[in-house]
Amino acid sequence: MTSELHPKLFVSDADAAIDFYTTTLDATLDLRVADDHRVVHHAEIILGSAILALAQSVPEWGWNTPGSVGGTPVLITANVSDPDATAERMVHRGAELVIPVENRPYGKRQGRVRDPFGHLWVISGPLR
């Protein structure tokens, strides 16, 4: 049996989020499902071997953005080959640098950003 986890992020603007994540994380859009009103209820982007799903928030369904609930309780880690460049791209595209990317004593080069949709990311990679 194969087990996988596909987290789904709820965002205020799904198409903007698709653009942000594919551009800044070098991810690929694999699936986009929208209703007749062009509201994206499910999209999947591929980052390496990981699948990240996202959708437009729909509060009446309980699909809330981090901002609507006072922030996110989840921290997402993206392991990338160049964490400095990835964090820089994210900030350039509207993310907030929360913790600078630096070599950490536990053997990784990491920093933290809050994306324009309120989700927190640890951008991680090899030591430099």
Side-chain angles (χ1 to χ4, degrees), residues 1 7 37 47 58 67 79 85 90 102 109 116-117:
M1 180 170 88
H37 304 288
L47 176 60
V58 183
N79 292 308
M90 292 177 90
E102 297 175 342
R109 186 163 181 80
F117 313 98

Side-chain angles (χ1 to χ4, degrees), residues 40-53:
V40 177
H41 293 297
H42 186 78
E44 293 179 359
I45 60 173
I46 308 293
L47 176 60
S49 63
I51 296 173
L52 177 66

Side-chain angles (χ1 to χ4, degrees), residues 7-127:
K8 188 171 196 171
L9 303 180
F10 299 118
V11 295
S12 57
D13 183 337
D15 285 321
I18 291 167
D19 180 58
F20 178 83
Y21 297 134
T22 56
T23 301
T24 62
L25 296 173
D26 292 326
T28 304
L29 177 63
D30 188 54
L31 176 67
R32 181 185 177 280
V33 180
D35 65 16
D36 294 340
H37 304 288
R38 299 175 61 186
V39 175
V40 177
H41 293 297
H42 186 78
E44 293 179 359
I45 60 173
I46 308 293
L47 176 60
S49 63
I51 296 173
L52 177 66
L54 61 97
Q56 189 82 22
S57 64
V58 183
E60 53 271 18
W61 295 355
W63 291 10
N64 299 302
T65 64
S68 69
V69 294
T72 181
V74 177
L75 186 59
I76 307 158
T77 299
N79 292 308
V80 297
S81 60
D82 188 343
D84 297 86
T86 300
E88 186 177 310
R89 278 194 310 272
M90 292 177 90
V91 169
H92 180 74
R93 298 278 313 229
E96 171 194 358
L97 184 65
V98 177
I99 298 174
V101 175
E102 297 175 342
N103 288 341
R104 304 294 172 191
Y106 42 83
K108 295 185 180 190
R109 186 163 181 80
Q110 293 183 330
R112 190 174 304 166
V113 297
R114 179 176 293 108
D115 72 28
F117 313 98
H119 296 283
L120 284 172
W121 293 79
V122 172
I123 305 303
S124 181
L127 292 172

